[in-house]
Each structure stands twice: as C-alpha cells, then as structure tokens.
Amino acid sequence: MTALQGKVALVTGASRGVGRGVALGLGEAGATVYVTGRTLGGRHPDMPFLAGSLEETAADVTALGGQGVAVRCDHRDDAQTRAVIERIAADRGRLDVLVNNVWGGYEGLHLWDERGQKWGAPFWEQPLSLWDGMFGAGVRAHYVTTALAAPLLIGARGLVVNISFFAGQRHRGLENVPYFLAKNADDRMAQAFANHFRPHGVSAVSLYPGLVRTEGVLLAPEGTFDFTNSESPQFLGRAVAHLAADPEVLSRSGQTLVAAELALEYGFTDIDGKQPPSARASFEGE
C-alpha cells in the first residue's frame, strides 16, 4: 500500500507501543511521519525497563517505505508542541494526518506485581497523579496539539485521529476513574473537533484498538492476558492509513471507530495475516 506517498503525518507518543505501531502503519503506506515523544537517544525517563526510542521508530518507518522524522517533544509543554508544528510547517508546509496518541499516568502501573491492586483500587486509594498524567499528558495534550495544527490540517483537508478505548463508553465495576473519564473526554473531543472542522473539509474520529501487544503488555506475568485475539501495534496503524487514504473519510467524521471493524470493511489484515475480531461485543455485553 503506497496510497499515502506525498502525505505528511504527525504521531504523538510514538517511541513505543501503540504510537510506534501507528507510525509504522503510516510508513508502510508511504507517508512522511513525524514521531514525537520524550525518549530520544535512550530509555524512557520514567520507565527505563521499557525498550523503544524515537530514533528506532523513525528508522523503521523509513525501512517500511515511508520517511520517519524523530522530534523530541514533551507534549505537556505547549512551547515544545508549538515548535513541532512550526517545524512541520517549515519542512513540509502541510499536515495531512494528526494522530493524538501521547498519554501519561501509566508510569507507576507498569510494575505488574502491583498493577492489578493499584488499577482496580477505589479511586480514593489511587495516586492523585493518575488524573494529572492522563488529562495533562493525554487529553489536554491532544487538544493543544490539534489546536496548534489546525491551520496546517485545514490547508490539507486532513484527518485527526484520537486514540481511545472502549473503557470510555461506560463505567463498569471498579474501572479506573481517571482512565474512564479521560477516554470518554477524547471521544467527545473528537465529536466536537468534527463539528468545528467539517466546514473546512477536515475529518476527526476516535479510534479503538483491541488488546494490543505493546512492550508494556508483553511484560505482564504469564497468564495475565489471553493473546489469542490480540493485535500488533501496527494493526492500528493500518487502520489509520486506510482512513487517511479513504476519499470519503469526511462522512465518518465525529464517529467512534474500531480498528478490527475497519479491517473487515477495508479488507486489511494484521502483520501475521490474521483479522482479529472486534472487542465491541465483550465490552457492550458486560
């Protein structure tokens, strides 16, 4: 697939995990992909046990047929975010795809021997930093990046994708409260973006993966997850690439979409040739 040759994308939080996978999916479609994050030339400052860096992501994007550009950026700092957008404007003069993926709040939850207890604890027993991480480095960063990138996106009649998850649809049991609210906010924000952007031909959607085999998930103790129907991070990237290449994508603007359902519609597979089933039924049925 080379449908995105000549197109420019920005994927935030792309050193590893879902963001890295999205960048790779756009790269194999031929796009120039700017990847941002805090890990440039080393390990994650808060989670050194997780592999992955911006340079590695950018190199792999290029190896797949696109052009990867690594730019260090802490999206909690508006000045750094503005500098990224200004660089893209100076380098390319356009932005066709913005993927709001950067996220925070997980730092203390990647220690798997403690994660279950912390994640499912009553909200008053959880660290208050979860809220600040998920809303500051997540929801607010998505809003600011999109606002600053809006002129470039309008010029290209581009696409904004907020990476979210089913947990934002409704609160279930002891679902983590900041996580539920932050994902719900990202979904509602995509709807609001769509309303403002529609007259300018820019599309905005929220996109859900299933269980993704990220570096952090793969560190979980054996038996924590059933990977039978899991997805590679790149699978989500292929969903974004097909959306970006769809001339009718504006008709989807404001919607919440599921990568596995898009795979069936567009006819693409994961990197292992499989089509993972949508997790929608399992979440809506609980």
Side-chain angles (χ1 to χ4, degrees):
M1 182 179 174
T2 57
L4 299 185
Q5 284 187 346
K7 304 294 186 180
V8 179
L10 167 60
V11 182
T12 67
S15 300
R16 61 189 61 79
V18 166
R20 169 181 165 81
V22 171
L24 297 184
L26 291 167
E28 69 179 353
T32 295
V33 188
Y34 285 75
V35 293
T36 62
R38 292 187 293 158
T39 310
L40 189 63
R43 292 292 183 106
H44 191 291
D46 299 316
M47 296 179 288
F49 48 87
L50 288 180
S53 70
L54 292 173
E55 298 100 322
E56 292 169 352
T57 299
D60 288 343
V61 166
T62 302
L64 286 170
Q67 181 177 355
V69 183
V71 185
R72 189 187 186 283
C73 178
D74 184 339
H75 284 279
R76 297 171 298 183
D77 183 337
D78 295 352
Q80 291 187 40
T81 302
R82 187 183 300 275
V84 172
I85 302 303
E86 290 176 347
R87 175 172 173 179
I88 295 172
D91 289 352
R92 309 290 172 175
R94 64 183 297 139
L95 182 62
D96 299 273
V97 184
L98 167 61
V99 181
N100 287 314
N101 170 75
V102 66
W103 198 252
Y106 283 159
E107 290 82 359
L109 298 176
H110 278 284
L111 301 176
W112 282 99
D113 56 339
E114 302 176 6
R115 179 174 180 140
Q117 181 179 357
K118 289 183 177 180
W119 187 255
F123 71 90
W124 58 88
E125 295 180 6
Q126 295 181 340
L128 297 178
S129 60
L130 283 180
W131 180 281
D132 296 329
M134 292 182 183
F135 277 83
V139 177
R140 185 182 186 280
H142 300 169
Y143 176 83
V144 171
T145 306
T146 308
L148 295 176
L152 288 178
L153 290 162
I154 290 169
R157 298 178 68 86
L159 167 68
V160 178
V161 179
N162 284 353
I163 302 299
S164 188
F165 194 58
F166 294 98
Q169 291 295 310
R170 65 186 181 94
H171 196 266
R172 304 167 296 125
L174 288 179
E175 185 71 60
N176 186 278
V177 173
Y179 185 70
F180 157 69
L181 293 172
K183 292 302 184 185
N184 185 272
D186 264 338
D187 292 346
R188 302 291 81 78
M189 186 161 53
Q191 294 177 354
F193 285 166
N195 290 336
H196 283 247
F197 274 137
R198 190 170 287 109
H200 304 282
V202 177
S203 307
V205 301
S206 189
L207 182 62
Y208 292 178
L211 173 60
V212 183
R213 299 186 298 274
T214 64
E215 295 87 350
V217 166
L218 293 176
L219 288 177
E222 186 175 355
T224 301
F225 296 111
D226 177 3
F227 290 110
T228 304
N229 294 317
S230 63
E231 304 168 3
S232 75
Q234 197 166 330
F235 181 66
L236 195 65
R238 290 182 172 181
V240 175
H242 279 80
L243 284 171
D246 187 346
E248 302 299 324
V249 69
L250 190 60
S251 66
R252 299 181 182 272
S253 196
Q255 296 180 13
T256 296
L257 306 172
V258 179
E261 295 169 6
L262 292 176
L264 291 174
E265 182 175 343
Y266 286 121
F268 66 89
T269 65
D270 205 340
I271 57 175
D272 59 4
K274 298 179 180 178
Q275 281 189 325
S278 172
R280 182 188 297 273
S282 62
F283 279 87
E284 291 181 347
E286 292 183 359

